[in-house]
Amino acid sequence: EGKGEFESCNRCFQNATERHAYLNSFSTQPQSAKYGLNQFSSLSPEEFRDLYLRAIPEQALPFFGSKTKE
Amino acid sequence: LPAKFDWRDRAVVAPVQNQQACGSCWAFSVVGAMQAAKAIAGMPLEELSVQQVIDCCFQNGGCNGGSPTKALFWLQRTRINLVPQSEYPYKAKNGMCHFFSHPKGGVALRNFTTFDFSGQEEAMKAELVERGPLSAVVDAVSWQDYLGGIIQHHCSSRWPNHAVLVVGYDATGEIPFWIVQNSWGTDWGNEGYVYVKLGSNLCGIADSVAAVLV
């Protein structure tokens, strides 16, 4: 849409690539999680949080076993 | 408990959906649990209306976010019939609440329980097997970059922010993991699913868990 938009997006991709390298450095086994470019890579972490991480947790009671549960 | 259990094998889990640019994960998580509970109760598996929960559960903020527990309280208190998705389709934006005086199909919530299973993921496994897929709230900050595989690192439990549906677990391999259905479409993760290491409350998966009964 414009130069500013392009630069912002480009910066997100660069930051994402650095994140991926760090996250993947811990993935040593074949079944380990892999991190890389996906549909969210053009978003900054803040944009991603604001759009997709909108659940509000409620404090749940600790589980004490089936008797208490009943 | 079996070493592996997956509610998808019993055809009670509806396909992965895409919440799009709407903070409605809390509604997808709750509706996913209700769809499964309905199918487990012997009724046909059908997609129920997420939009109805977004529009009508005023205790939550629709696309601006919400709490699965508040949605469950609302469903239980009002005994509202959650109608099929075909009757009340998803629009990925807040809308007016529609009332159905004679709904075709659908189901109402009878009861639900919420628990903190942190440190007790064996008990959470039992709850999953006994009751059905579980609604859970996790810290999904690192999921922005996830492509697939089992998450074992970089997933804190400090800041729960995303609601999902836990549909099974697999402890047959070297790394036991939870099988979690997300609502970011099938292009994300393992065809819309994410695997989270079981046993260390990774991503806070055991902190806020709900089971439903319809």
Side-chain angles (χ1 to χ4, degrees):
Chain A
E1 289 179 7
K3 198 180 172 207
E5 181 88 5
F6 173 79
E7 282 174 359
S8 163
C9 206
N10 197 26
R11 201 163 40 245
C12 284
F13 275 111
Q14 282 178 358
N15 291 342
T17 308
E18 286 169 21
R19 271 200 321 271
H20 302 158
Y22 172 73
L23 293 169
N24 283 324
S25 68
F26 289 78
S27 301
T28 51
Q29 293 154 304
Q31 66 270 53
S32 295
K34 301 284 183 292
Y35 300 89
L37 294 176
N38 63 14
Q39 64 267 52
F40 302 128
S41 299
S42 63
L43 301 175
S44 69
E46 293 74 27
E47 288 169 328
F48 175 73
R49 185 192 62 206
D50 289 346
L51 262 177
Y52 294 101
L53 306 182
R54 304 302 298 250
I56 302 158
E58 302 281 331
Q59 187 71 47
L61 290 171
F63 182 79
F64 292 118
S66 59
K67 264 194 171 173
T68 310
K69 189 182 76 174
E70 281 159 14
Chain B
L1 290 172
K4 182 182 177 190
F5 191 88
D6 189 342
W7 279 109
R8 292 176 298 178
D9 299 338
R10 288 160 170 79
V12 302
V13 180
V16 170
Q17 297 201 56
N18 192 339
Q19 65 186 74
Q20 303 166 48
C22 167
S24 52
C25 58
W26 57 276
F28 278 97
S29 171
V30 164
V31 171
M34 288 203 40
Q35 287 167 171
K38 177 174 175 274
I40 292 167
M43 291 173 266
L45 174 65
E46 67 177 338
E47 289 180 352
L48 300 172
S49 178
V50 174
Q51 192 66 43
Q52 185 182 11
V53 179
I54 291 172
D55 292 348
C56 304
C57 177
F58 299 117
Q59 291 83 350
N60 281 325
C63 284
N64 298 320
S67 145
T69 308
K70 276 188 181 164
L72 290 166
F73 269 121
W74 168 74
L75 284 161
Q76 189 188 37
R77 202 187 61 245
T78 60
R79 300 275 178 210
I80 197 166
N81 199 69
L82 203 53
V83 301
Q85 175 113 289
S86 54
E87 296 278 307
Y88 200 152
Y90 186 63
K91 291 180 179 151
K93 58 184 181 185
N94 294 344
M96 290 268 286
C97 176
H98 294 242
F99 178 73
F100 294 81
S101 49
H102 302 290
K104 294 178 206 146
V107 74
L109 180 70
R110 258 171 65 196
N111 200 3
F112 75 97
T113 49
T114 60
F115 284 112
D116 174 354
F117 282 108
S118 50
Q120 300 182 81
E121 283 174 73
E122 282 301 308
M124 183 168 154
K125 280 163 68 177
E127 190 80 355
L128 176 98
V129 171
E130 190 185 327
R131 302 282 296 276
L134 304 169
S135 167
V137 183
V138 297
D139 183 336
V141 167
S142 66
W143 294 14
Q144 179 178 2
D145 304 300
Y146 178 74
L147 297 179
I150 307 169
I151 295 179
Q152 301 165 73
H153 311 281
H154 316 296
C155 207
S156 85
S157 56
R158 274 185 231 148
W159 184 53
N161 46 43
H162 182 53
V164 291
L165 187 68
V166 183
V167 301
Y169 63 83
D170 188 342
T172 58
E174 201 177 316
I175 306 159
F177 60 89
W178 292 109
I179 302 165
V180 179
Q181 188 187 61
N182 202 354
S183 51
W184 293 345
T186 50
D187 290 340
W188 181 86
N190 309 283
E191 295 179 345
Y193 286 82
V194 51
Y195 305 141
V196 179
K197 187 184 172 189
L198 197 157
S200 21
N201 194 23
L202 217 68
C203 314
I205 197 159
D207 282 339
S208 182
V209 176
V212 308
L213 185 68
V214 297

